[in-house]
Amino acid sequence: MDVQKIRNDFPILQRKVNGKPLVYFDNAATSQTPIQVIDTIVEYYNNYNANIHRGVHTLSQEATELYELARQKIQKHFNAAQAHEIIFTSGTTHSINIVSNGYAQILSKGDEVIVSALEHHSNIVPWQMMCEKTGAVLKVIPMNEDGVLIMEEYDQLLSNTTKLVFVNHVSNALGTVNPIEEIITKAHAVGAEVLIDGAQASPHIKADVQSLDVDYYVTSAHKLCGPTGVGMLYGKQSALNRLPPYQGGGEMIAEVTFEKTTYADLPHKFEAGTPNIAGGIGFGAALDYLNTIGMEEIAAYEEQLLKYATTALNNIPGVKIYGVAPQKTAVISFNVTGIHPYDIGSILDQLGIAVRTGHHCAQPIMDFYQIPGTVRASFSFYNTFQEIDSMVEALKKAIQMLQ
Ligand code: C6P
């Protein structure tokens, strides 16, 4: 992998922040966008901006064709059996809400659903809302000090009253890669469906939804070098057909009268209204970009970055890393004794280094460690070892100033 060449694809990496070269280590919040994706979006607006699935005119047909081609690229990337099993959404949060809203009409009092202790709020709150509506009971797979799920406890939680399990593939706060194959197999053995939140996995791991045999897999394009405001809900055809629509409106109908409306087939049943057309096409371009580099190459390089940064940070007195699972993506959450994460983040920003600080929308994880938050450095394939050195130097300066 030629990282220097790759960096030239990302115009934003050339800019300075506070007079210093930008070191962008907030990739888990959102990834940067290569020129190939930016150009694709600009080309859409310059050449064939039109509403899709509606017009007989050329522009509309071109836009429709490219939007549907993007759906096929997503299908291929995640190895879905059929293109209509890919629903375009505004992102992971929207995707989860489509399923949780559907489940609010499927479950009843006493049914059980299982979440993990490692979740982002997006994979907790919609389900709590669903449980409030239905009377279903939410159970939690606990984690250990290393940030690893305790699978024996999962075994105990599963029963024939379990209807759905929803777990992330990778934790956004700690980088833990969860054993989703085992989670899925065991859930299916008791007749439960499984939703996997792939928002943090998909930039690093290419999930094969058929071999995983997962019922729902969700992600956001902006985590994968694509635009914001677009994402996907993969669902097995049978699972999606069971769910009621989420929103009513144009495009999702077969026939409308004031007496009765019938819904369109998949995927349109879940795609009411004019979608983010440029975003969908940009999502496809982002997958093309990543696949040209190669997901395995990306993962191998990021693993080196992770190892290098972990060793360097562990050598700084007072640094404590949270989440030391054997299987991790390139995310490091840490604190320095006696210093608030926000203060470290602010000083790093003064030095041009972008990290995220706070609870990372994963408050239960922070509560587990009894901390208000962490500093999170998350790496991507366009980051370099030298940038990690810069962060380490900047962190040492910050510690000197703050301690
Ligand atoms: N995590 C982070 O800094 P949306 O906002 O819908 O694109 O993605 C929500 C989401 C869901 N699940 C996981 C595991 C996530 O990491 C995220 C987004 C960002 O960690 C922003 S809070």
Side-chain angles (χ1 to χ4, degrees), residues 54-71:
R54 290 163 166 88
V56 287
H57 62 81
T58 302
L59 259 53
S60 173
Q61 284 175 15
E62 284 177 10
T64 302
E65 213 170 282
L66 281 148
Y67 191 70
E68 290 307 322
L69 181 66
R71 195 191 305 275

Side-chain angles (χ1 to χ4, degrees), residues 297-308 326 328-330:
E297 285 75 4
I298 286 174
Y301 177 67
E302 288 174 346
E303 199 183 326
Q304 290 176 43
L305 290 176
L306 175 68
K307 275 196 187 137
Y308 186 78
K328 264 186 83 170
T329 56

Side-chain angles (χ1 to χ4, degrees), residues 36-55 57-70 73 274-285 288:
Q36 290 83 344
V37 173
I38 297 170
D39 283 350
T40 302
I41 294 167
V42 170
E43 199 194 326
Y44 165 79
Y45 283 112
N46 277 338
N47 292 319
Y48 56 96
N49 178 26
N51 215 324
I52 52 169
H53 302 138
R54 290 163 166 88
H57 62 81
T58 302
L59 259 53
S60 173
Q61 284 175 15
E62 284 177 10
T64 302
E65 213 170 282
L66 281 148
Y67 191 70
E68 290 307 322
L69 181 66
K73 288 178 183 178
T274 302
N276 180 352
I277 303 165
I281 295 169
F283 189 176
D288 284 344

Side-chain angles (χ1 to χ4, degrees), residues 103 106-114 130-139 157-164:
Y103 259 82
I106 292 173
L107 295 193
S108 42
K109 202 170 178 343
D111 285 336
E112 292 183 358
V113 294
I114 299 179
M130 182 277 287
C131 286
E132 268 169 36
K133 282 188 200 143
T134 57
V137 181
L138 184 74
K139 305 259 172 161
L157 295 177
L158 284 166
S159 74
N160 54 14
T161 50
T162 310
K163 300 297 173 206
L164 183 72

Side-chain angles (χ1 to χ4, degrees), residues 28-29 91-93 120 122 170 172 197 199-200 220 222-223 356 361 376:
T92 304
T93 305
H120 185 279
S122 291
V170 168
N172 73 314
D197 170 355
Q200 293 294 337
S220 303
H222 70 95
K223 307 283 192 200
R356 185 173 171 184
C361 303
R376 185 187 69 181

